[in-house]
Amino acid sequence: MSTTQTQAITPQLRQWIVEQAEAGHSADVVLKSMLASGWKEDVAVEAMESTLRGHLENKALQEGLPPALAVPDPGLDESPLYIDAGDRRVCVLQAMYNPRVVVFGGLLSDGECEGLIALAKPRLARSLTVATKTGGEEVNADRTSNGMFFQRGENELVRTIEARIARLVAWPEENGEGLQVLHYVPGTEYKPHYDYFDPSEPGTPTILKRGGQRVATIVMYLGEPDKGGGTTFPDVHLQIAPKRGNAVFFSYERPHPSTRTLHGGAPVLAGEKWIATKWLRERRFT
Ligand code: PD2
Ligand code: ZN
């Protein structure tokens, strides 16, 4: 086949790709075999990606999983060391694909961390969680921090950070819930949980009216504890150190444990931990 001709991704090709995957051949092996048969690399990669994505989605739906949603994501295909987040260059320290977890260095300056803490301090109260039975809010023994919410765009510092995050993970600012600041002292923690709303809970339809599902979370570390207080992902035995100015981003394309996004804030053992959490919804959050 001439290289100037467009190569068509036929149903037969898609079926062959699925058969190879089901026979246990790795993506690398299948790609090499396609290249050896004269497929152009970009066409082969696109054929494999779209076919396997579609195949996995069909399987997931057959197994009764909720459909996959579009999610925010920092573009890391070319493994950049830094991302231009508009007003700041943010470092990519670590990236994982399943679950999708990205650790950023220097998302916030020390001054911004201190500014958020100072604005939040007078407004702290015992943290609540969403009451999934009713769609309201409740005190929860699994979450023993104190916290507060800023309104979206409430002040210049909040607006700056919201714009930076929107650019960093390519997701509209208006889809974000208000920034939440949390304060943990020794002994307090946030036990492992999922940030999405469980579709089987009776209060979930009410919650979803305000912008649909949560699809991603960014936890920004504002103040470092001396010991403990890492953000944990128990399914994959991952723990992120709560280093000031750094942040962990994770996304979940369906409200289901198969995303492996179970996560928690480990108990603080010494010193104080301050974080700011930003939850991102499917649509405009109202
Ligand atoms: O404090 C944390 O590290 C943490 C852990 C899990 C925060 C959240 N979840 C959250 O705010 O959703
Ligand atoms: Zn969480």
Side-chain angles (χ1 to χ4, degrees), residues 255-272:
H256 193 270
S258 61
T259 55
R260 310 207 293 174
T261 54
L262 183 70
H263 66 284
V268 171
L269 302 177
E272 294 176 33

Side-chain angles (χ1 to χ4, degrees), residues 164-208:
R164 191 178 299 158
I165 291 173
R167 175 96 180 244
L168 184 69
V169 300
W171 205 247
E173 243 176 274
E174 63 176 23
N175 294 19
E177 296 183 32
L179 205 61
Q180 182 180 37
V181 173
L182 295 176
H183 181 219
Y184 298 83
V185 294
T188 57
E189 65 182 314
Y190 194 174
K191 291 210 173 112
H193 59 276
Y194 298 99
D195 281 350
Y196 57 72
F197 304 110
D198 183 343
S200 67
E201 290 287 350
T204 295
T206 309
I207 297 165
L208 298 187

Side-chain angles (χ1 to χ4, degrees), residues 5-55:
Q5 248 179 317
T6 334
Q7 298 181 320
I9 304 173
T10 60
Q12 289 79 6
L13 174 65
R14 291 195 189 281
Q15 193 184 336
W16 177 81
I17 291 171
V18 169
E19 283 166 6
Q20 300 310 302
E22 292 200 322
H25 298 303
S26 72
D28 238 24
V29 168
V30 180
L31 181 62
K32 278 203 183 107
S33 153
M34 285 183 73
L35 297 180
S37 311
W39 289 92
K40 286 194 278 179
E41 185 162 2
D42 57 341
V43 180
V45 168
E46 164 57 22
M48 281 184 59
E49 273 180 4
S50 59
T51 303
L52 294 175
R53 204 179 316 119
H55 178 63

Side-chain angles (χ1 to χ4, degrees), residues 149-168:
F149 274 98
F150 288 106
Q151 293 285 321
R152 195 172 53 226
E154 182 177 320
N155 56 52
E156 203 182 328
L157 178 56
V158 165
R159 280 195 295 277
T160 300
I161 295 168
E162 288 174 339
R164 191 178 299 158
I165 291 173
R167 175 96 180 244
L168 184 69

Side-chain angles (χ1 to χ4, degrees), residues 73-74 76 92-96 100-104 247-250:
D73 201 52
L76 301 183
V92 181
L93 294 179
Q94 185 197 16
M96 202 179 201
R100 183 53 157 163
V101 177
V102 181
V103 180
F104 294 113
V248 57
F249 162 88
F250 54 100

Side-chain angles (χ1 to χ4, degrees), residues 78-96:
E78 294 177 346
S79 304
L81 192 54
Y82 293 97
I83 296 185
D84 173 10
D87 64 336
R88 196 170 169 87
R89 212 171 62 132
V90 177
C91 187
V92 181
L93 294 179
Q94 185 197 16
M96 202 179 201

Side-chain angles (χ1 to χ4, degrees), residues 143 182 184 190 193 195 219 231 263-265 273 275 277 279:
R143 193 182 197 200
L182 295 176
Y184 298 83
Y190 194 174
H193 59 276
D195 281 350
V219 174
T231 304
H263 66 284
K273 171 183 172 188
I275 62 164
T277 297
W279 287 302

